[in-house]
mmCIF file with all atom_site columns, all heavy atoms in Angstrom:
data_model
loop_
_atom_site.group_PDB
_atom_site.id
_atom_site.type_symbol
_atom_site.label_atom_id
_atom_site.label_alt_id
_atom_site.label_comp_id
_atom_site.label_asym_id
_atom_site.label_entity_id
_atom_site.label_seq_id
_atom_site.pdbx_PDB_ins_code
_atom_site.Cartn_x
_atom_site.Cartn_y
_atom_site.Cartn_z
_atom_site.occupancy
_atom_site.B_iso_or_equiv
_atom_site.pdbx_formal_charge
_atom_site.auth_seq_id
_atom_site.auth_comp_id
_atom_site.auth_asym_id
_atom_site.auth_atom_id
_atom_site.pdbx_PDB_model_num
ATOM 1   N N   . ILE A 1 1  ? 35.417 -6.245  -18.916 1.00 0.00 ? 1  ILE A N   1
ATOM 2   C CA  . ILE A 1 1  ? 35.571 -5.693  -20.264 1.00 0.00 ? 1  ILE A CA  1
ATOM 3   C C   . ILE A 1 1  ? 36.560 -4.522  -20.232 1.00 0.00 ? 1  ILE A C   1
ATOM 4   O O   . ILE A 1 1  ? 36.509 -3.673  -19.343 1.00 0.00 ? 1  ILE A O   1
ATOM 5   C CB  . ILE A 1 1  ? 34.224 -5.191  -20.816 1.00 0.00 ? 1  ILE A CB  1
ATOM 6   C CG1 . ILE A 1 1  ? 33.237 -6.346  -20.999 1.00 0.00 ? 1  ILE A CG1 1
ATOM 7   C CG2 . ILE A 1 1  ? 34.420 -4.454  -22.138 1.00 0.00 ? 1  ILE A CG2 1
ATOM 8   C CD1 . ILE A 1 1  ? 33.595 -7.319  -22.098 1.00 0.00 ? 1  ILE A CD1 1
ATOM 9   N N   . SER A 1 2  ? 37.458 -4.481  -21.199 1.00 0.00 ? 2  SER A N   1
ATOM 10  C CA  . SER A 1 2  ? 38.264 -3.285  -21.431 1.00 0.00 ? 2  SER A CA  1
ATOM 11  C C   . SER A 1 2  ? 38.190 -2.947  -22.925 1.00 0.00 ? 2  SER A C   1
ATOM 12  O O   . SER A 1 2  ? 37.421 -3.563  -23.665 1.00 0.00 ? 2  SER A O   1
ATOM 13  C CB  . SER A 1 2  ? 39.716 -3.481  -20.960 1.00 0.00 ? 2  SER A CB  1
ATOM 14  O OG  . SER A 1 2  ? 40.371 -4.485  -21.711 1.00 0.00 ? 2  SER A OG  1
ATOM 15  N N   . ILE A 1 3  ? 38.963 -2.000  -23.373 1.00 0.00 ? 3  ILE A N   1
ATOM 16  C CA  . ILE A 1 3  ? 38.808 -1.503  -24.741 1.00 0.00 ? 3  ILE A CA  1
ATOM 17  C C   . ILE A 1 3  ? 38.927 -2.625  -25.775 1.00 0.00 ? 3  ILE A C   1
ATOM 18  O O   . ILE A 1 3  ? 38.186 -2.660  -26.758 1.00 0.00 ? 3  ILE A O   1
ATOM 19  C CB  . ILE A 1 3  ? 39.854 -0.401  -25.030 1.00 0.00 ? 3  ILE A CB  1
ATOM 20  C CG1 . ILE A 1 3  ? 39.575 0.835   -24.166 1.00 0.00 ? 3  ILE A CG1 1
ATOM 21  C CG2 . ILE A 1 3  ? 39.831 -0.007  -26.504 1.00 0.00 ? 3  ILE A CG2 1
ATOM 22  C CD1 . ILE A 1 3  ? 40.629 1.913   -24.280 1.00 0.00 ? 3  ILE A CD1 1
ATOM 23  N N   . ASP A 1 4  ? 39.861 -3.540  -25.538 1.00 0.00 ? 4  ASP A N   1
ATOM 24  C CA  . ASP A 1 4  ? 40.104 -4.591  -26.535 1.00 0.00 ? 4  ASP A CA  1
ATOM 25  C C   . ASP A 1 4  ? 39.138 -5.765  -26.446 1.00 0.00 ? 4  ASP A C   1
ATOM 26  O O   . ASP A 1 4  ? 39.202 -6.680  -27.269 1.00 0.00 ? 4  ASP A O   1
ATOM 27  C CB  . ASP A 1 4  ? 41.544 -5.109  -26.403 1.00 0.00 ? 4  ASP A CB  1
ATOM 28  C CG  . ASP A 1 4  ? 42.556 -4.168  -27.045 1.00 0.00 ? 4  ASP A CG  1
ATOM 29  O OD1 . ASP A 1 4  ? 42.128 -3.198  -27.703 1.00 0.00 ? 4  ASP A OD1 1
ATOM 30  O OD2 . ASP A 1 4  ? 43.766 -4.406  -26.890 1.00 0.00 ? 4  ASP A OD2 1
ATOM 31  N N   . GLY A 1 5  ? 38.270 -5.779  -25.439 1.00 0.00 ? 5  GLY A N   1
ATOM 32  C CA  . GLY A 1 5  ? 37.299 -6.864  -25.338 1.00 0.00 ? 5  GLY A CA  1
ATOM 33  C C   . GLY A 1 5  ? 37.272 -7.507  -23.966 1.00 0.00 ? 5  GLY A C   1
ATOM 34  O O   . GLY A 1 5  ? 37.505 -6.848  -22.954 1.00 0.00 ? 5  GLY A O   1
ATOM 35  N N   . LYS A 1 6  ? 36.998 -8.808  -23.940 1.00 0.00 ? 6  LYS A N   1
ATOM 36  C CA  . LYS A 1 6  ? 36.917 -9.536  -22.668 1.00 0.00 ? 6  LYS A CA  1
ATOM 37  C C   . LYS A 1 6  ? 38.313 -9.688  -22.072 1.00 0.00 ? 6  LYS A C   1
ATOM 38  O O   . LYS A 1 6  ? 39.222 -10.209 -22.715 1.00 0.00 ? 6  LYS A O   1
ATOM 39  C CB  . LYS A 1 6  ? 36.275 -10.902 -22.880 1.00 0.00 ? 6  LYS A CB  1
ATOM 40  C CG  . LYS A 1 6  ? 34.813 -10.830 -23.301 1.00 0.00 ? 6  LYS A CG  1
ATOM 41  C CD  . LYS A 1 6  ? 34.202 -12.227 -23.428 1.00 0.00 ? 6  LYS A CD  1
ATOM 42  C CE  . LYS A 1 6  ? 32.723 -12.140 -23.797 1.00 0.00 ? 6  LYS A CE  1
ATOM 43  N NZ  . LYS A 1 6  ? 32.104 -13.482 -23.939 1.00 0.00 ? 6  LYS A NZ  1
ATOM 44  N N   . ILE A 1 7  ? 38.442 -9.257  -20.814 1.00 0.00 ? 7  ILE A N   1
ATOM 45  C CA  . ILE A 1 7  ? 39.774 -9.189  -20.206 1.00 0.00 ? 7  ILE A CA  1
ATOM 46  C C   . ILE A 1 7  ? 40.322 -10.548 -19.796 1.00 0.00 ? 7  ILE A C   1
ATOM 47  O O   . ILE A 1 7  ? 41.489 -10.648 -19.420 1.00 0.00 ? 7  ILE A O   1
ATOM 48  C CB  . ILE A 1 7  ? 39.764 -8.260  -18.971 1.00 0.00 ? 7  ILE A CB  1
ATOM 49  C CG1 . ILE A 1 7  ? 38.836 -8.820  -17.875 1.00 0.00 ? 7  ILE A CG1 1
ATOM 50  C CG2 . ILE A 1 7  ? 39.373 -6.855  -19.355 1.00 0.00 ? 7  ILE A CG2 1
ATOM 51  C CD1 . ILE A 1 7  ? 38.937 -8.073  -16.568 1.00 0.00 ? 7  ILE A CD1 1
ATOM 52  N N   . GLU A 1 8  ? 39.515 -11.598 -19.892 1.00 0.00 ? 8  GLU A N   1
ATOM 53  C CA  . GLU A 1 8  ? 39.976 -12.913 -19.457 1.00 0.00 ? 8  GLU A CA  1
ATOM 54  C C   . GLU A 1 8  ? 41.221 -13.354 -20.222 1.00 0.00 ? 8  GLU A C   1
ATOM 55  O O   . GLU A 1 8  ? 41.970 -14.224 -19.755 1.00 0.00 ? 8  GLU A O   1
ATOM 56  C CB  . GLU A 1 8  ? 38.860 -13.941 -19.636 1.00 0.00 ? 8  GLU A CB  1
ATOM 57  C CG  . GLU A 1 8  ? 38.405 -14.105 -21.069 1.00 0.00 ? 8  GLU A CG  1
ATOM 58  C CD  . GLU A 1 8  ? 37.110 -14.891 -21.205 1.00 0.00 ? 8  GLU A CD  1
ATOM 59  O OE1 . GLU A 1 8  ? 36.318 -14.920 -20.242 1.00 0.00 ? 8  GLU A OE1 1
ATOM 60  O OE2 . GLU A 1 8  ? 36.895 -15.475 -22.281 1.00 0.00 ? 8  GLU A OE2 1
ATOM 61  N N   . ASN A 1 9  ? 41.464 -12.754 -21.374 1.00 0.00 ? 9  ASN A N   1
ATOM 62  C CA  . ASN A 1 9  ? 42.631 -13.115 -22.172 1.00 0.00 ? 9  ASN A CA  1
ATOM 63  C C   . ASN A 1 9  ? 43.898 -12.375 -21.757 1.00 0.00 ? 9  ASN A C   1
ATOM 64  O O   . ASN A 1 9  ? 44.982 -12.708 -22.231 1.00 0.00 ? 9  ASN A O   1
ATOM 65  C CB  . ASN A 1 9  ? 42.349 -12.838 -23.656 1.00 0.00 ? 9  ASN A CB  1
ATOM 66  C CG  . ASN A 1 9  ? 41.229 -13.701 -24.193 1.00 0.00 ? 9  ASN A CG  1
ATOM 67  O OD1 . ASN A 1 9  ? 41.281 -14.918 -24.102 1.00 0.00 ? 9  ASN A OD1 1
ATOM 68  N ND2 . ASN A 1 9  ? 40.196 -13.070 -24.747 1.00 0.00 ? 9  ASN A ND2 1
ATOM 69  N N   . TRP A 1 10 ? 43.776 -11.352 -20.885 1.00 0.00 ? 10 TRP A N   1
ATOM 70  C CA  . TRP A 1 10 ? 44.971 -10.617 -20.460 1.00 0.00 ? 10 TRP A CA  1
ATOM 71  C C   . TRP A 1 10 ? 44.918 -10.168 -18.996 1.00 0.00 ? 10 TRP A C   1
ATOM 72  O O   . TRP A 1 10 ? 45.813 -9.475  -18.534 1.00 0.00 ? 10 TRP A O   1
ATOM 73  C CB  . TRP A 1 10 ? 45.209 -9.400  -21.359 1.00 0.00 ? 10 TRP A CB  1
ATOM 74  C CG  . TRP A 1 10 ? 43.992 -8.539  -21.590 1.00 0.00 ? 10 TRP A CG  1
ATOM 75  C CD1 . TRP A 1 10 ? 43.519 -7.541  -20.803 1.00 0.00 ? 10 TRP A CD1 1
ATOM 76  C CD2 . TRP A 1 10 ? 43.102 -8.617  -22.713 1.00 0.00 ? 10 TRP A CD2 1
ATOM 77  N NE1 . TRP A 1 10 ? 42.383 -6.990  -21.340 1.00 0.00 ? 10 TRP A NE1 1
ATOM 78  C CE2 . TRP A 1 10 ? 42.108 -7.623  -22.517 1.00 0.00 ? 10 TRP A CE2 1
ATOM 79  C CE3 . TRP A 1 10 ? 43.047 -9.409  -23.855 1.00 0.00 ? 10 TRP A CE3 1
ATOM 80  C CZ2 . TRP A 1 10 ? 41.065 -7.422  -23.431 1.00 0.00 ? 10 TRP A CZ2 1
ATOM 81  C CZ3 . TRP A 1 10 ? 42.008 -9.204  -24.755 1.00 0.00 ? 10 TRP A CZ3 1
ATOM 82  C CH2 . TRP A 1 10 ? 41.043 -8.224  -24.553 1.00 0.00 ? 10 TRP A CH2 1
ATOM 83  N N   . PHE A 1 11 ? 43.898 -10.586 -18.269 1.00 0.00 ? 11 PHE A N   1
ATOM 84  C CA  . PHE A 1 11 ? 43.812 -10.224 -16.841 1.00 0.00 ? 11 PHE A CA  1
ATOM 85  C C   . PHE A 1 11 ? 43.172 -11.397 -16.122 1.00 0.00 ? 11 PHE A C   1
ATOM 86  O O   . PHE A 1 11 ? 41.951 -11.515 -16.077 1.00 0.00 ? 11 PHE A O   1
ATOM 87  C CB  . PHE A 1 11 ? 42.976 -8.951  -16.675 1.00 0.00 ? 11 PHE A CB  1
ATOM 88  C CG  . PHE A 1 11 ? 42.942 -8.399  -15.264 1.00 0.00 ? 11 PHE A CG  1
ATOM 89  C CD1 . PHE A 1 11 ? 44.107 -8.029  -14.615 1.00 0.00 ? 11 PHE A CD1 1
ATOM 90  C CD2 . PHE A 1 11 ? 41.742 -8.239  -14.597 1.00 0.00 ? 11 PHE A CD2 1
ATOM 91  C CE1 . PHE A 1 11 ? 44.077 -7.509  -13.321 1.00 0.00 ? 11 PHE A CE1 1
ATOM 92  C CE2 . PHE A 1 11 ? 41.689 -7.720  -13.312 1.00 0.00 ? 11 PHE A CE2 1
ATOM 93  C CZ  . PHE A 1 11 ? 42.866 -7.360  -12.674 1.00 0.00 ? 11 PHE A CZ  1
ATOM 94  N N   . GLY A 1 12 ? 44.011 -12.264 -15.572 1.00 0.00 ? 12 GLY A N   1
ATOM 95  C CA  . GLY A 1 12 ? 43.481 -13.513 -15.042 1.00 0.00 ? 12 GLY A CA  1
ATOM 96  C C   . GLY A 1 12 ? 43.712 -13.766 -13.577 1.00 0.00 ? 12 GLY A C   1
ATOM 97  O O   . GLY A 1 12 ? 43.381 -14.843 -13.077 1.00 0.00 ? 12 GLY A O   1
ATOM 98  N N   . GLU A 1 13 ? 44.274 -12.774 -12.849 1.00 0.00 ? 13 GLU A N   1
ATOM 99  C CA  . GLU A 1 13 ? 44.563 -13.062 -11.447 1.00 0.00 ? 13 GLU A CA  1
ATOM 100 C C   . GLU A 1 13 ? 43.298 -13.112 -10.594 1.00 0.00 ? 13 GLU A C   1
ATOM 101 O O   . GLU A 1 13 ? 42.259 -12.563 -10.963 1.00 0.00 ? 13 GLU A O   1
ATOM 102 C CB  . GLU A 1 13 ? 45.525 -12.025 -10.856 1.00 0.00 ? 13 GLU A CB  1
ATOM 103 C CG  . GLU A 1 13 ? 44.971 -10.622 -10.729 1.00 0.00 ? 13 GLU A CG  1
ATOM 104 C CD  . GLU A 1 13 ? 45.785 -9.650  -11.539 1.00 0.00 ? 13 GLU A CD  1
ATOM 105 O OE1 . GLU A 1 13 ? 46.107 -9.982  -12.702 1.00 0.00 ? 13 GLU A OE1 1
ATOM 106 O OE2 . GLU A 1 13 ? 46.097 -8.563  -11.008 1.00 0.00 ? 13 GLU A OE2 1
ATOM 107 N N   . ASN A 1 14 ? 43.414 -13.734 -9.447  1.00 0.00 ? 14 ASN A N   1
ATOM 108 C CA  . ASN A 1 14 ? 42.343 -13.773 -8.461  1.00 0.00 ? 14 ASN A CA  1
ATOM 109 C C   . ASN A 1 14 ? 42.426 -12.482 -7.646  1.00 0.00 ? 14 ASN A C   1
ATOM 110 O O   . ASN A 1 14 ? 43.297 -12.339 -6.785  1.00 0.00 ? 14 ASN A O   1
ATOM 111 C CB  . ASN A 1 14 ? 42.499 -15.003 -7.563  1.00 0.00 ? 14 ASN A CB  1
ATOM 112 C CG  . ASN A 1 14 ? 41.336 -15.180 -6.600  1.00 0.00 ? 14 ASN A CG  1
ATOM 113 O OD1 . ASN A 1 14 ? 40.878 -14.223 -5.976  1.00 0.00 ? 14 ASN A OD1 1
ATOM 114 N ND2 . ASN A 1 14 ? 40.857 -16.405 -6.479  1.00 0.00 ? 14 ASN A ND2 1
ATOM 115 N N   . VAL A 1 15 ? 41.552 -11.535 -7.949  1.00 0.00 ? 15 VAL A N   1
ATOM 116 C CA  . VAL A 1 15 ? 41.624 -10.208 -7.331  1.00 0.00 ? 15 VAL A CA  1
ATOM 117 C C   . VAL A 1 15 ? 41.411 -10.301 -5.826  1.00 0.00 ? 15 VAL A C   1
ATOM 118 O O   . VAL A 1 15 ? 42.079 -9.620  -5.039  1.00 0.00 ? 15 VAL A O   1
ATOM 119 C CB  . VAL A 1 15 ? 40.611 -9.246  -7.979  1.00 0.00 ? 15 VAL A CB  1
ATOM 120 C CG1 . VAL A 1 15 ? 40.540 -7.923  -7.213  1.00 0.00 ? 15 VAL A CG1 1
ATOM 121 C CG2 . VAL A 1 15 ? 40.988 -8.983  -9.433  1.00 0.00 ? 15 VAL A CG2 1
ATOM 122 N N   . ARG A 1 16 ? 40.495 -11.157 -5.389  1.00 0.00 ? 16 ARG A N   1
ATOM 123 C CA  . ARG A 1 16 ? 40.260 -11.320 -3.959  1.00 0.00 ? 16 ARG A CA  1
ATOM 124 C C   . ARG A 1 16 ? 41.538 -11.739 -3.249  1.00 0.00 ? 16 ARG A C   1
ATOM 125 O O   . ARG A 1 16 ? 41.947 -11.116 -2.252  1.00 0.00 ? 16 ARG A O   1
ATOM 126 C CB  . ARG A 1 16 ? 39.153 -12.342 -3.703  1.00 0.00 ? 16 ARG A CB  1
ATOM 127 C CG  . ARG A 1 16 ? 39.083 -12.795 -2.236  1.00 0.00 ? 16 ARG A CG  1
ATOM 128 C CD  . ARG A 1 16 ? 37.963 -13.771 -1.962  1.00 0.00 ? 16 ARG A CD  1
ATOM 129 N NE  . ARG A 1 16 ? 36.708 -13.066 -1.783  1.00 0.00 ? 16 ARG A NE  1
ATOM 130 C CZ  . ARG A 1 16 ? 36.317 -12.492 -0.647  1.00 0.00 ? 16 ARG A CZ  1
ATOM 131 N NH1 . ARG A 1 16 ? 37.097 -12.524 0.424   1.00 0.00 ? 16 ARG A NH1 1
ATOM 132 N NH2 . ARG A 1 16 ? 35.168 -11.872 -0.567  1.00 0.00 ? 16 ARG A NH2 1
ATOM 133 N N   . GLU A 1 17 ? 42.172 -12.776 -3.732  1.00 0.00 ? 17 GLU A N   1
ATOM 134 C CA  . GLU A 1 17 ? 43.384 -13.274 -3.070  1.00 0.00 ? 17 GLU A CA  1
ATOM 135 C C   . GLU A 1 17 ? 44.513 -12.257 -3.154  1.00 0.00 ? 17 GLU A C   1
ATOM 136 O O   . GLU A 1 17 ? 45.307 -12.122 -2.221  1.00 0.00 ? 17 GLU A O   1
ATOM 137 C CB  . GLU A 1 17 ? 43.799 -14.607 -3.679  1.00 0.00 ? 17 GLU A CB  1
ATOM 138 C CG  . GLU A 1 17 ? 42.804 -15.731 -3.385  1.00 0.00 ? 17 GLU A CG  1
ATOM 139 C CD  . GLU A 1 17 ? 43.228 -17.056 -3.984  1.00 0.00 ? 17 GLU A CD  1
ATOM 140 O OE1 . GLU A 1 17 ? 44.288 -17.108 -4.654  1.00 0.00 ? 17 GLU A OE1 1
ATOM 141 O OE2 . GLU A 1 17 ? 42.503 -18.050 -3.784  1.00 0.00 ? 17 GLU A OE2 1
ATOM 142 N N   . ARG A 1 18 ? 44.567 -11.543 -4.269  1.00 0.00 ? 18 ARG A N   1
ATOM 143 C CA  . ARG A 1 18 ? 45.588 -10.499 -4.407  1.00 0.00 ? 18 ARG A CA  1
ATOM 144 C C   . ARG A 1 18 ? 45.448 -9.456  -3.310  1.00 0.00 ? 18 ARG A C   1
ATOM 145 O O   . ARG A 1 18 ? 46.421 -9.107  -2.641  1.00 0.00 ? 18 ARG A O   1
ATOM 146 C CB  . ARG A 1 18 ? 45.464 -9.858  -5.792  1.00 0.00 ? 18 ARG A CB  1
ATOM 147 C CG  . ARG A 1 18 ? 46.309 -8.609  -5.997  1.00 0.00 ? 18 ARG A CG  1
ATOM 148 C CD  . ARG A 1 18 ? 46.049 -8.005  -7.379  1.00 0.00 ? 18 ARG A CD  1
ATOM 149 N NE  . ARG A 1 18 ? 46.558 -6.651  -7.481  1.00 0.00 ? 18 ARG A NE  1
ATOM 150 C CZ  . ARG A 1 18 ? 46.411 -5.870  -8.550  1.00 0.00 ? 18 ARG A CZ  1
ATOM 151 N NH1 . ARG A 1 18 ? 45.747 -6.329  -9.606  1.00 0.00 ? 18 ARG A NH1 1
ATOM 152 N NH2 . ARG A 1 18 ? 46.897 -4.639  -8.567  1.00 0.00 ? 18 ARG A NH2 1
ATOM 153 N N   . PHE A 1 19 ? 44.229 -8.963  -3.098  1.00 0.00 ? 19 PHE A N   1
ATOM 154 C CA  . PHE A 1 19 ? 44.035 -7.903  -2.105  1.00 0.00 ? 19 PHE A CA  1
ATOM 155 C C   . PHE A 1 19 ? 44.090 -8.446  -0.676  1.00 0.00 ? 19 PHE A C   1
ATOM 156 O O   . PHE A 1 19 ? 44.524 -7.739  0.237   1.00 0.00 ? 19 PHE A O   1
ATOM 157 C CB  . PHE A 1 19 ? 42.743 -7.136  -2.388  1.00 0.00 ? 19 PHE A CB  1
ATOM 158 C CG  . PHE A 1 19 ? 42.952 -6.026  -3.371  1.00 0.00 ? 19 PHE A CG  1
ATOM 159 C CD1 . PHE A 1 19 ? 43.027 -6.285  -4.736  1.00 0.00 ? 19 PHE A CD1 1
ATOM 160 C CD2 . PHE A 1 19 ? 43.117 -4.719  -2.946  1.00 0.00 ? 19 PHE A CD2 1
ATOM 161 C CE1 . PHE A 1 19 ? 43.254 -5.270  -5.657  1.00 0.00 ? 19 PHE A CE1 1
ATOM 162 C CE2 . PHE A 1 19 ? 43.339 -3.690  -3.846  1.00 0.00 ? 19 PHE A CE2 1
ATOM 163 C CZ  . PHE A 1 19 ? 43.413 -3.962  -5.220  1.00 0.00 ? 19 PHE A CZ  1
ATOM 164 N N   . GLU A 1 20 ? 43.679 -9.659  -0.479  1.00 0.00 ? 20 GLU A N   1
ATOM 165 C CA  . GLU A 1 20 ? 43.841 -10.260 0.850   1.00 0.00 ? 20 GLU A CA  1
ATOM 166 C C   . GLU A 1 20 ? 45.316 -10.385 1.193   1.00 0.00 ? 20 GLU A C   1
ATOM 167 O O   . GLU A 1 20 ? 45.706 -10.204 2.359   1.00 0.00 ? 20 GLU A O   1
ATOM 168 C CB  . GLU A 1 20 ? 43.140 -11.614 0.904   1.00 0.00 ? 20 GLU A CB  1
ATOM 169 C CG  . GLU A 1 20 ? 41.621 -11.507 0.953   1.00 0.00 ? 20 GLU A CG  1
ATOM 170 C CD  . GLU A 1 20 ? 40.921 -12.857 0.926   1.00 0.00 ? 20 GLU A CD  1
ATOM 171 O OE1 . GLU A 1 20 ? 41.565 -13.856 0.528   1.00 0.00 ? 20 GLU A OE1 1
ATOM 172 O OE2 . GLU A 1 20 ? 39.723 -12.909 1.296   1.00 0.00 ? 20 GLU A OE2 1
ATOM 173 N N   . SER A 1 21 ? 46.149 -10.667 0.195   1.00 0.00 ? 21 SER A N   1
ATOM 174 C CA  . SER A 1 21 ? 47.589 -10.757 0.450   1.00 0.00 ? 21 SER A CA  1
ATOM 175 C C   . SER A 1 21 ? 48.191 -9.402  0.777   1.00 0.00 ? 21 SER A C   1
ATOM 176 O O   . SER A 1 21 ? 49.247 -9.311  1.408   1.00 0.00 ? 21 SER A O   1
ATOM 177 C CB  . SER A 1 21 ? 48.313 -11.378 -0.748  1.00 0.00 ? 21 SER A CB  1
ATOM 178 O OG  . SER A 1 21 ? 48.427 -10.458 -1.822  1.00 0.00 ? 21 SER A OG  1
ATOM 179 N N   . TYR A 1 22 ? 47.534 -8.319  0.337   1.00 0.00 ? 22 TYR A N   1
ATOM 180 C CA  . TYR A 1 22 ? 47.949 -6.966  0.706   1.00 0.00 ? 22 TYR A CA  1
ATOM 181 C C   . TYR A 1 22 ? 47.501 -6.596  2.127   1.00 0.00 ? 22 TYR A C   1
ATOM 182 O O   . TYR A 1 22 ? 47.761 -5.490  2.593   1.00 0.00 ? 22 TYR A O   1
ATOM 183 C CB  . TYR A 1 22 ? 47.315 -5.926  -0.225  1.00 0.00 ? 22 TYR A CB  1
ATOM 184 C CG  . TYR A 1 22 ? 47.728 -5.926  -1.664  1.00 0.00 ? 22 TYR A CG  1
ATOM 185 C CD1 . TYR A 1 22 ? 46.834 -5.462  -2.629  1.00 0.00 ? 22 TYR A CD1 1
ATOM 186 C CD2 . TYR A 1 22 ? 48.988 -6.335  -2.076  1.00 0.00 ? 22 TYR A CD2 1
ATOM 187 C CE1 . TYR A 1 22 ? 47.178 -5.415  -3.966  1.00 0.00 ? 22 TYR A CE1 1
ATOM 188 C CE2 . TYR A 1 22 ? 49.344 -6.304  -3.413  1.00 0.00 ? 22 TYR A CE2 1
ATOM 189 C CZ  . TYR A 1 22 ? 48.434 -5.846  -4.365  1.00 0.00 ? 22 TYR A CZ  1
ATOM 190 O OH  . TYR A 1 22 ? 48.776 -5.797  -5.687  1.00 0.00 ? 22 TYR A OH  1
ATOM 191 N N   . ASN A 1 23 ? 46.774 -7.466  2.771   1.00 0.00 ? 23 ASN A N   1
ATOM 192 C CA  . ASN A 1 23 ? 46.173 -7.207  4.086   1.00 0.00 ? 23 ASN A CA  1
ATOM 193 C C   . ASN A 1 23 ? 44.992 -6.242  3.986   1.00 0.00 ? 23 ASN A C   1
ATOM 194 O O   . ASN A 1 23 ? 44.792 -5.379  4.830   1.00 0.00 ? 23 ASN A O   1
ATOM 195 C CB  . ASN A 1 23 ? 47.196 -6.689  5.102   1.00 0.00 ? 23 ASN A CB  1
ATOM 196 C CG  . ASN A 1 23 ? 46.707 -6.826  6.533   1.00 0.00 ? 23 ASN A CG  1
ATOM 197 O OD1 . ASN A 1 23 ? 46.028 -7.790  6.882   1.00 0.00 ? 23 ASN A OD1 1
ATOM 198 N ND2 . ASN A 1 23 ? 47.055 -5.864  7.377   1.00 0.00 ? 23 ASN A ND2 1
ATOM 199 N N   . TRP A 1 24 ? 44.202 -6.422  2.927   1.00 0.00 ? 24 TRP A N   1
ATOM 200 C CA  . TRP A 1 24 ? 42.948 -5.694  2.771   1.00 0.00 ? 24 TRP A CA  1
ATOM 201 C C   . TRP A 1 24 ? 41.784 -6.586  3.189   1.00 0.00 ? 24 TRP A C   1
ATOM 202 O O   . TRP A 1 24 ? 41.854 -7.809  3.151   1.00 0.00 ? 24 TRP A O   1
ATOM 203 C CB  . TRP A 1 24 ? 42.738 -5.300  1.309   1.00 0.00 ? 24 TRP A CB  1
ATOM 204 C CG  . TRP A 1 24 ? 43.488 -4.091  0.848   1.00 0.00 ? 24 TRP A CG  1
ATOM 205 C CD1 . TRP A 1 24 ? 44.827 -3.866  0.941   1.00 0.00 ? 24 TRP A CD1 1
ATOM 206 C CD2 . TRP A 1 24 ? 42.939 -2.945  0.177   1.00 0.00 ? 24 TRP A CD2 1
ATOM 207 N NE1 . TRP A 1 24 ? 45.159 -2.663  0.375   1.00 0.00 ? 24 TRP A NE1 1
ATOM 208 C CE2 . TRP A 1 24 ? 44.014 -2.071  -0.101  1.00 0.00 ? 24 TRP A CE2 1
ATOM 209 C CE3 . TRP A 1 24 ? 41.653 -2.578  -0.223  1.00 0.00 ? 24 TRP A CE3 1
ATOM 210 C CZ2 . TRP A 1 24 ? 43.831 -0.847  -0.755  1.00 0.00 ? 24 TRP A CZ2 1
ATOM 211 C CZ3 . TRP A 1 24 ? 41.480 -1.366  -0.866  1.00 0.00 ? 24 TRP A CZ3 1
ATOM 212 C CH2 . TRP A 1 24 ? 42.554 -0.505  -1.135  1.00 0.00 ? 24 TRP A CH2 1
ATOM 213 N N   . ASN A 1 25 ? 40.705 -5.934  3.579   1.00 0.00 ? 25 ASN A N   1
ATOM 214 C CA  . ASN A 1 25 ? 39.426 -6.595  3.753   1.00 0.00 ? 25 ASN A CA  1
ATOM 215 C C   . ASN A 1 25 ? 38.755 -6.621  2.378   1.00 0.00 ? 25 ASN A C   1
ATOM 216 O O   . ASN A 1 25 ? 38.686 -5.601  1.705   1.00 0.00 ? 25 ASN A O   1
ATOM 217 C CB  . ASN A 1 25 ? 38.588 -5.793  4.758   1.00 0.00 ? 25 ASN A CB  1
ATOM 218 C CG  . ASN A 1 25 ? 37.156 -6.253  4.853   1.00 0.00 ? 25 ASN A CG  1
ATOM 219 O OD1 . ASN A 1 25 ? 36.894 -7.449  4.866   1.00 0.00 ? 25 ASN A OD1 1
ATOM 220 N ND2 . ASN A 1 25 ? 36.226 -5.310  4.914   1.00 0.00 ? 25 ASN A ND2 1
ATOM 221 N N   . VAL A 1 26 ? 38.292 -7.771  1.945   1.00 0.00 ? 26 VAL A N   1
ATOM 222 C CA  . VAL A 1 26 ? 37.657 -7.887  0.633   1.00 0.00 ? 26 VAL A CA  1
ATOM 223 C C   . VAL A 1 26 ? 36.220 -8.357  0.814   1.00 0.00 ? 26 VAL A C   1
ATOM 224 O O   . VAL A 1 26 ? 35.963 -9.357  1.492   1.00 0.00 ? 26 VAL A O   1
ATOM 225 C CB  . VAL A 1 26 ? 38.414 -8.857  -0.289  1.00 0.00 ? 26 VAL A CB  1
ATOM 226 C CG1 . VAL A 1 26 ? 37.743 -8.909  -1.668  1.00 0.00 ? 26 VAL A CG1 1
ATOM 227 C CG2 . VAL A 1 26 ? 39.875 -8.431  -0.439  1.00 0.00 ? 26 VAL A CG2 1
ATOM 228 N N   . ILE A 1 27 ? 35.300 -7.628  0.220   1.00 0.00 ? 27 ILE A N   1
ATOM 229 C CA  . ILE A 1 27 ? 33.876 -7.972  0.262   1.00 0.00 ? 27 ILE A CA  1
ATOM 230 C C   . ILE A 1 27 ? 33.417 -8.295  -1.159  1.00 0.00 ? 27 ILE A C   1
ATOM 231 O O   . ILE A 1 27 ? 33.687 -7.549  -2.089  1.00 0.00 ? 27 ILE A O   1
ATOM 232 C CB  . ILE A 1 27 ? 33.043 -6.808  0.835   1.00 0.00 ? 27 ILE A CB  1
ATOM 233 C CG1 . ILE A 1 27 ? 33.460 -6.490  2.268   1.00 0.00 ? 27 ILE A CG1 1
ATOM 234 C CG2 . ILE A 1 27 ? 31.549 -7.118  0.765   1.00 0.00 ? 27 ILE A CG2 1
ATOM 235 C CD1 . ILE A 1 27 ? 32.799 -5.253  2.842   1.00 0.00 ? 27 ILE A CD1 1
#
C-alpha cells in the first residue's frame, strides 16, 4: 500500500530477484 492505494498498479517488480541481482542475501 502507498498513498494512492494498492501498489500493484505501479510497483510490479520481483523485489527478491532485484536484490539477489545486486548480490544481496534475501530472506
Side-chain angles (χ1 to χ4, degrees):
I1 295 291
S2 64
I3 294 174
D4 281 353
K6 294 183 178 180
I7 63 171
E8 61 193 25
N9 296 305
W10 48 85
F11 186 59
E13 67 240 45
N14 186 316
V15 172
R16 167 178 278 278
E17 293 180 359
R18 171 183 165 183
F19 274 79
E20 287 177 342
S21 75
Y22 294 152
N23 198 36
W24 280 54
N25 171 42
V26 182
I27 298 173

